[in-house]
Amino acid sequence: IAGPTRTPEHVSGDTALGEDGFWLDSLDLFEVILACEAELGVRIDAHADATAESLRTVRSLADLISAAHRARPGPRAADHDQG
């Protein structure tokens, strides 16, 4: 999705995903969400979770993914430590 013409010179958690950053439009962001779900095994509710604020910066996207990861069902690492 990003490429040499759309990747900012300096990237940080505060880098915008849209204008003045990676220049991702709504379709690009949808593709990012699908890729995150496929690669990281999380589910992101497009209506409830994928808001303009949660898709504003690299950090807000990372926070969204972390929250989706914590919310997914299944055993957690802490469950295995009590064995």
Side-chain angles (χ1 to χ4, degrees):
I1 294 172
T5 61
R6 293 181 6 167
T7 303
E9 187 175 329
H10 302 286
V11 177
S12 73
D14 296 323
T15 302
L17 296 175
E19 290 183 22
D20 299 323
F22 284 97
W23 296 94
L24 302 179
D25 63 21
S26 58
L27 181 57
D28 294 328
L29 289 170
F30 180 70
E31 290 176 1
V32 167
I33 290 170
L34 292 177
C36 289
E37 289 181 334
E39 291 296 318
L40 304 173
V42 297
R43 296 287 305 152
I44 297 171
D45 185 324
H47 297 290
D49 301 327
T51 64
E53 186 60 28
S54 67
L55 298 173
R56 191 176 67 78
T57 66
V58 172
R59 178 175 290 115
S60 62
L61 176 61
D63 290 345
L64 174 65
I65 293 166
S66 292
H69 188 268
R70 286 190 303 272
R72 73 181 187 181
R76 293 187 167 57
D79 295 338
H80 296 290
D81 293 339
Q82 296 176 357

